[in-house]
Amino acid sequence: MRIHGSRLNNYLTWIIHTEVRWLSKGKVLTRFYELHNELLIYFTMENSKYCDLLSAEIWCSKLAFQAYIFEHLNHLNSSMQGENESILSSTDKLHGFKDKLNM
């Protein structure tokens, strides 16, 4: 099967979008963490089982860490997209990110 230029570009864009879509969850984690006190109040009023999680310091620390890491992964992902991005510059960015993690 042969796919012509614009169709191929649309197809590749769709594949890339679906493969990196999970990174947008970092924004949800950040927003959730920012609202965790308000959510705790709400779930307390509703007598929800989630009150225990939202009031647990260790669980909230893990949530904050995940939100922080995903925020940086989102930034890395965004910086590696665009017409002027090359495999060399993307590789440099990935290595730089990896080096920061090792510090």
Side-chain angles (χ1 to χ4, degrees):
M1 181 169 115
R2 187 173 180 177
I3 301 175
H4 294 284
S6 65
R7 281 187 181 171
L8 179 61
N9 286 338
N10 289 339
Y11 178 73
L12 292 175
T13 301
W14 183 78
I15 288 176
I16 291 170
H17 172 75
T18 57
E19 288 180 355
V20 298
R21 187 173 170 204
W22 64 273
L23 287 173
S24 67
K25 292 180 182 177
K27 293 179 182 179
V28 172
L29 285 173
T30 300
R31 291 188 181 109
F32 184 85
Y33 180 72
E34 290 170 351
L35 294 171
H36 83 275
N37 288 327
E38 289 82 0
L39 290 167
L40 178 59
I41 293 168
Y42 172 76
F43 287 132
T44 302
M45 291 173 24
E46 295 292 319
N47 293 324
S48 174
K49 62 182 178 183
Y50 299 113
C51 294
D52 294 336
L53 287 175
L54 290 170
S55 59
E57 189 175 330
I58 292 174
W59 189 86
C60 288
S61 296
K62 290 178 181 181
L63 175 65
F65 177 75
Q66 285 184 333
Y68 178 79
I69 291 296
F70 272 90
E71 182 180 330
H72 288 284
L73 285 170
N74 281 331
H75 178 72
L76 175 65
N77 177 43
S78 296
S79 73
M80 293 172 51
Q81 296 180 21
E83 291 183 21
N84 296 327
E85 187 65 22
S86 69
I87 189 71
L88 296 175
S89 62
S90 291
T91 303
D92 288 343
K93 290 174 185 176
L94 283 172
H95 287 296
F97 185 79
K98 182 180 168 187
D99 290 342
K100 286 181 184 178
L101 289 176
N102 288 331
M103 288 185 164

